[in-house]
Amino acid sequence: MVKAVVGEETQLKLAENRLSRCGLPSQVGLVIGDLSSKLDRGFIFDLIPTPPNDDGEPACSIIGGAKDDRKKASKGKPQPDSSALFIDKDWVAEHARQVGRMLVGGVKVVGIYVWTNESSFKNSTIMLCQAAKAVAEAAPLFEVDWDERLLVHIGYSPLRWTCRNCLLASNITSGNLRPCDLKMGKILSTRQAFRCTYDFDLRLPICQGSSSKRLSDILHYGISINAKELKGAKALIDGKLANEDEQFDLGGVHDVEFLLPFMEDKYLEVCSQKEVTGLLVFSGSVCSYAFSNSKEPASQALADIKEDIIKSLRSRLDMMCDEADIKPDRKEDRADESSNQILSGSAVLQLDLQLKRKHCSLSFPRRVLLPWLADIFLCDYIQPSESVEVLEDHFAELMSIEFLNNSSKILEPEAEAPALISTTEKSFQEVSTPYSLLPKSDNLLSKQNRAATILESNQKLTEPAGFNFMIAVLVLIVSIVTGVVVFVVRSS
């Protein structure tokens, strides 16, 4: 359990000034920071207010009793205040889900904050714990089993900061809140930057009768496989084999490269399996960053990088699934199955691949980066047909960042390139062989994330192999007969 929390003094003072000037009796938002099990401390980088919902209503309000301690009369005997907070926890959780996608390694949604008077806070502990639990479920901490989140209370009359641990037990009660020390200091300057360009190339067979039928299901499964391989991978940091207990000096960006273990080529094994109806080719590159505490060992930085890579892939897939659910009938996402047109668009994710005998092509969104606090990056994703300008409103709404009509600060580390498309002339063995073993053109060397499905009937997959086998048998028989004849002639 985290017993002490340190907040970035500059950012928390800015948040305090913003709240004091806003004139609102209450506000709720997200706590962005990090939780360190090795240091047994929590770190707060910034507080992000939750925007109003789609109806323009605030996510937090005071109900019952006096709504603002600052307006109470100072004369007379004080009466017990029955005011309490109402928090739209579903909306706050949705805000956390979207903000969680925009955070890189070592930067997480670690809890919620609330701006309200002391009595409303004390009367709303269960509501606050429920909101913290909803946020934890919407923005989970991958690879870390944290059963707690931070709850920061900024009270007025008098102005005071307090922090508590909210234990995410199954039964939420007032006893789920435990006090912890909150101090302010300079913590962002102690974050060490790590950078990794991670290339991946997955080839997953599509089997008849499998429970995973839709493209989105198979991609989720493929990313899970990639996460397991990446978890055990060794790493190079600045070209040297990483010592996981080593600590790095501040300054500069450290380059990370992962050494994946050699895996048995399981893709060629499925060539003779009659239930295989096609192959999913999922390849590309992820630009990943992590910002870890300089007092933590290199193992924590590597864990943050690995988490960021997998979270980035899952976020892109989830975004496309959300788009496909919202717009399932777009004309550009549909194609006439009787034609030779290539299927494309987000609706392809909903296709039952076991019933298709077509090539499908799908490009993943590209990751872009925005400098945030003390050279820490935020990230977001754009579709191949979009430009970075579409992200201005997104950053402003979700993270309260104003661009002032200048989007030149947004970095695009992942190059844009056409989606991978395979022709019907390729055999199953060709497409099941990783690209590193095949000749490549310049277009195939792009680092754009891309997913493509290659679907062929069982007959087309097995006929070339059967034909080659018959030729080999005939050549062997002719060789044996020729050898016997030569032997008999020489003997006579």
Side-chain angles (χ1 to χ4, degrees):
M1 177 186 294
V2 172
K3 297 180 180 179
V5 176
V6 183
E8 175 60 33
E9 184 176 11
T10 302
Q11 295 305 121
L12 296 192
K13 288 298 183 182
L14 289 175
E16 180 180 294
N17 294 334
R18 169 178 58 81
L19 290 168
S20 299
R21 295 193 307 265
C22 71
L24 296 174
S26 64
Q27 187 183 88
V28 69
L30 306 178
V31 178
I32 307 300
D34 191 19
L35 299 176
S36 174
S37 58
K38 294 181 175 61
L39 302 178
D40 196 24
R41 282 192 174 187
F43 300 93
I44 299 176
F45 303 157
D46 202 3
L47 306 181
I48 307 299
T50 297
N53 60 22
D54 294 336
D55 296 328
E57 298 176 352
C60 179
S61 59
I62 296 179
I63 55 177
K67 294 188 177 181
D68 196 335
D69 282 350
R70 294 170 296 184
K71 298 180 180 180
K72 283 185 177 180
S74 59
K75 298 181 181 181
K77 185 178 180 180
Q79 298 295 325
D81 190 350
S82 61
S83 63
L85 291 173
F86 169 77
I87 297 177
D88 187 349
K89 58 180 181 295
D90 293 335
W91 185 250
V92 178
E94 177 61 23
H95 183 218
R97 186 178 74 92
Q98 296 193 39
V99 169
R101 293 175 177 174
M102 304 173 72
L103 304 178
V104 297
V107 186
K108 307 174 180 70
V109 179
V110 295
I112 63 173
Y113 78 88
V114 61
W115 160 263
T116 188
N117 57 58
E118 188 70 24
S119 57
S120 297
F121 179 83
K122 290 181 178 180
N123 295 335
S124 309
T125 53
I126 295 180
M127 172 70 70
L128 290 166
C129 288
Q130 290 175 342
K133 184 175 182 179
V135 165
E137 293 173 349
L141 304 181
F142 295 104
E143 308 298 336
V144 180
D145 186 19
W146 280 102
D147 60 349
E148 61 184 278
R149 291 296 186 274
L150 301 181
L151 173 58
V152 176
H153 173 217
I154 308 103
Y156 48 78
S157 300
L159 183 62
R160 186 173 64 173
W161 289 72
T162 57
C163 183
R164 293 170 174 81
N165 278 319
C166 181
L167 305 182
L168 306 178
S170 56
N171 296 322
I172 297 294
T173 65
S174 58
N176 289 78
L177 292 180
R178 306 288 176 85
C180 60
D181 295 332
L182 174 62
K183 299 179 181 180
M184 296 190 186
K186 302 293 184 181
I187 60 173
L188 291 177
S189 58
T190 64
R191 311 303 288 188
Q192 184 63 61
F194 293 83
R195 174 179 57 202
C196 176
T197 300
Y198 176 72
D199 300 313
F200 62 94
D201 193 343
L202 299 177
R203 302 178 186 284
L204 306 170
I206 302 169
C207 300
Q208 187 68 33
S210 173
S211 59
S212 297
K213 298 180 179 181
R214 298 188 306 170
L215 173 57
S216 58
D217 298 331
I218 300 175
L219 284 175
H220 275 297
Y221 173 70
I223 294 174
S224 299
I225 291 179
N226 196 259
K228 293 179 180 178
E229 295 181 359
L230 189 59
K231 185 176 182 179
K234 299 296 182 180
L236 300 176
I237 300 181
D238 296 330
K240 299 179 181 180
L241 187 63
N243 177 4
E244 296 193 350
D245 296 327
E246 182 181 2
Q247 294 181 348
F248 291 87
D249 297 331
L250 291 173
V253 180
H254 298 285
D255 289 315
V256 176
E257 181 180 356
F258 288 110
L259 305 175
L260 295 176
F262 289 102
M263 305 295 291
E264 295 182 2
D265 196 351
K266 300 179 180 180
Y267 306 113
L268 297 179
E269 296 178 4
V270 301
C271 294
S272 60
Q273 297 179 8
K274 294 183 179 180
E275 67 270 17
V276 174
T277 61
L279 190 73
L280 170 67
V281 180
F282 181 37
S283 61
S285 179
V286 174
C287 180
S288 174
Y289 274 85
F291 297 86
S292 301
N293 193 295
S294 59
K295 295 182 180 180
E296 292 181 318
S299 59
Q300 183 61 49
L302 297 178
D304 290 338
I305 281 280
K306 293 176 181 179
E307 176 182 328
D308 182 59
I309 291 171
I310 299 304
K311 187 180 73 170
S312 178
L313 291 175
R314 287 173 175 166
S315 295
R316 302 180 207 214
L317 180 55
D318 290 342
M319 289 173 62
M320 299 187 71
C321 290
D322 291 344
E323 182 182 359
D325 291 337
I326 295 173
K327 301 177 181 179
D329 296 322
R330 292 193 308 172
K331 292 182 180 179
E332 56 267 31
D333 287 348
R334 301 195 305 267
D336 184 3
E337 296 189 9
S338 62
S339 66
N340 293 324
Q341 184 178 354
I342 296 174
L343 300 176
S344 62
S346 59
V348 174
L349 291 169
Q350 308 299 335
L351 291 178
D352 186 341
L353 297 184
Q354 296 181 14
L355 302 179
K356 296 295 177 183
R357 294 296 182 266
K358 276 185 177 295
H359 296 282
C360 302
S361 174
L362 187 64
S363 294
F364 264 40
R366 292 184 295 119
R367 191 180 213 181
V368 297
L369 301 171
L370 174 72
W372 185 38
L373 304 174
D375 297 328
I376 292 178
F377 288 114
L378 295 175
C379 73
D380 210 338
Y381 303 93
I382 57 175
Q383 299 290 353
S385 59
E386 295 176 335
S387 62
V388 294
E389 284 74 15
V390 302
L391 300 179
E392 294 185 14
D393 293 339
H394 205 218
F395 279 115
E397 179 183 11
L398 295 179
M399 299 296 297
S400 297
I401 296 178
E402 298 295 338
F403 279 89
L404 300 177
N405 298 323
N406 182 14
S407 60
S408 61
K409 295 182 179 180
I410 298 180
L411 308 178
E412 301 182 64
E414 296 178 1
E416 184 175 3
L420 174 64
I421 300 175
S422 298
T423 60
T424 56
E425 285 78 12
K426 285 189 177 181
S427 68
F428 183 85
Q429 185 167 351
E430 286 178 310
V431 297
S432 63
T433 303
Y435 283 119
S436 59
L437 304 179
L438 294 175
K440 298 180 180 180
S441 64
D442 293 339
N443 288 336
L444 292 179
L445 289 174
S446 74
K447 293 184 177 180
Q448 162 71 16
N449 288 332
R450 54 192 182 262
T453 56
I454 301 166
L455 306 175
E456 295 183 2
S457 64
N458 289 332
Q459 183 178 2
K460 290 183 178 180
L461 294 177
T462 56
E463 282 182 355
F467 181 72
N468 293 335
F469 178 76
M470 292 298 297
I471 292 178
V473 171
L474 290 176
V475 170
L476 179 62
I477 293 175
V478 170
S479 300
I480 293 175
V481 171
T482 303
V484 171
V485 170
V486 171
F487 177 77
V488 172
V489 170
R490 288 183 178 181
S491 299
S492 61

